[in-house]
Amino acid sequence: MAATRTHAQLFNSHGFAVMSAAEEYNMSYEDSGIPSVCETFKEVLAECESCGMRKPPILLKKCRQLIKVGGHNSMRGDIWRVFLGISETKTRTNFDYKGNVAELGERLNKCGLTESTCDANIRRISALLDGQYLPLSEEDIKWLRNARQIMLDIGRTFPTHRLYIGETKEKISLLRVLMMYAKFNTSVGYCQGMAYIAALLLMHMTNEEDVFWSILTIFDSEKYLARFYDRKLSRMQTCGGIFSLLLKDRQTKLAQHLVAYTHCMYILSILQKRAGVRYL
């Protein structure tokens, strides 16, 4: 009798659990990069990094050509790091990542918490916010709310990826990175959705601090996602509105179907609240 294989035993080439036989074609493929392409790309990236944000057109052209060739998945993290310009971000930003991570550990310990996203931590934070243990300042309340939301979201972020199944070191790194961003950008703190971007970066970057500087560049730069994750989600709403208009213009039937579906979901949610039961 053949042994039963579980999701914890089989993953595709991107690290996600295999849920069906149709996905297994990816199992034998592990892209570590084509040696000649990788070596060339490393040289070009080193030149790009030495040029800072003003990269010569000839180097950008070389990078585009190498990206089209493919075979460099193992270098994806390095490519993102160089083209996001995190070295420049780090130079012009007065923020001690390692020092603040150490302070985070001390603060968690003071509250009876650990560097973990486990349910026990989340329950403890809820109890602290309810005033069951320690008197809290406004700053403490804001910090604990951010911590609880981050922990809850990490549990829902890529739950079938091998790096995020169970209590892994990558989950702890993700917790630290998001808590550090919330500390750095106090006007925004943490917004739902940030965890997915940081988790994707952690899949390809081996250095946790590089992930922090990358999300800082992505979330705070107008070139990337500035104001997508502010309290009002202002830029996201603008882009969503533009997309809705384009969809209505180019795919009218699909747009009408989505509007009807949204209305149905809204009505169901109202009925659910009134009846106190879950329909979905």
Side-chain angles (χ1 to χ4, degrees):
M1 184 175 176
T4 302
R5 293 179 298 181
T6 67
H7 70 285
Q9 295 170 306
L10 283 179
F11 300 92
N12 65 20
S13 61
H14 303 290
F16 289 92
V18 173
M19 298 303 182
S20 68
E23 294 181 81
E24 292 194 29
Y25 74 94
N26 274 325
M27 291 305 302
S28 61
Y29 176 66
E30 184 67 32
D31 182 3
S32 57
I34 299 170
S36 58
V37 174
C38 286
E39 286 305 314
T40 306
F41 221 140
K42 284 177 184 176
E43 293 172 9
V44 174
L45 285 177
E47 287 185 68
C48 285
E49 196 160 22
S50 66
C51 295
M53 294 303 289
R54 296 181 180 274
K55 297 172 178 61
I58 186 67
L59 283 179
L60 296 176
K61 185 178 179 180
K62 281 183 183 179
C63 286
R64 290 192 191 99
Q65 289 170 342
L66 288 166
I67 287 168
K68 287 178 181 178
V69 170
H72 46 70
N73 282 356
S74 61
M75 295 188 61
R76 190 169 288 163
D78 290 327
I79 295 167
W80 292 345
R81 177 179 55 78
V82 171
F83 280 91
L84 283 170
I86 67 171
S87 297
E88 288 74 28
T89 304
K90 197 183 297 189
T91 301
R92 67 172 180 265
T93 307
N94 184 26
F95 188 81
D96 178 9
Y97 182 81
K98 291 179 181 176
N100 280 287
V101 165
E103 285 181 19
L104 171 66
E106 292 171 6
R107 194 168 188 179
L108 287 168
N109 187 55
K110 184 180 176 181
C111 293
L113 302 165
T114 60
E115 282 190 340
S116 167
T117 60
C118 64
D119 290 343
N121 258 2
I122 295 169
R123 288 195 298 271
R124 170 81 178 179
I125 292 175
S126 296
L128 284 166
L129 289 170
D130 288 340
Q132 294 183 23
Y133 297 104
L134 303 168
L136 300 173
S137 65
E138 287 296 321
E139 183 189 349
D140 289 334
I141 291 170
K142 185 178 179 181
W143 180 79
L144 285 167
R145 282 176 177 166
N146 274 332
R148 181 173 62 181
Q149 191 59 60
I150 289 169
M151 289 177 187
L152 285 168
D153 279 3
I154 288 174
R156 301 186 282 243
T157 302
F158 297 122
T160 61
H161 193 278
R162 61 183 178 82
L163 296 181
Y164 304 111
I165 294 176
E167 194 61 34
T168 62
K169 63 182 178 64
E170 285 78 16
K171 273 190 172 179
I172 295 168
S173 289
L174 188 54
L175 172 66
R176 287 196 290 254
V177 164
L178 293 170
M179 288 296 294
M180 289 301 98
Y181 180 79
K183 180 171 184 177
F184 176 84
N185 191 341
T186 54
S187 63
V188 173
Y190 173 77
C191 289
Q192 285 182 291
M194 287 180 172
Y196 272 97
I197 294 174
L200 179 63
L201 291 168
L202 270 170
M203 291 178 194
H204 299 281
M205 291 181 169
T206 55
N207 188 314
E208 176 188 310
E209 188 175 348
D210 282 350
V211 176
F212 167 75
W213 292 110
S214 295
I215 66 167
L216 179 60
T217 305
I218 291 168
F219 293 149
D220 290 5
S221 171
E222 289 292 332
K223 183 180 179 181
Y224 302 112
L225 298 180
R227 292 179 289 110
F228 267 85
Y229 292 99
D230 59 17
R231 293 295 182 185
K232 295 180 180 179
L233 302 176
S234 53
R235 197 171 167 197
M236 191 177 290
Q237 290 189 51
T238 301
C239 290
I242 293 168
F243 176 75
S244 295
L245 291 171
L246 286 170
L247 190 65
K248 186 177 179 181
D249 181 58
R250 304 295 176 88
Q251 297 288 339
T252 306
K253 288 184 178 180
L254 176 58
Q256 290 171 346
H257 171 75
L258 290 173
V259 168
Y261 176 78
T262 303
H263 287 165
C264 287
M265 294 297 291
Y266 177 67
I267 291 167
L268 278 174
S269 68
I270 292 173
L271 292 172
Q272 176 179 317
K273 287 179 182 177
R274 288 180 179 176
V277 295
R278 294 182 67 89
Y279 288 104
L280 298 173

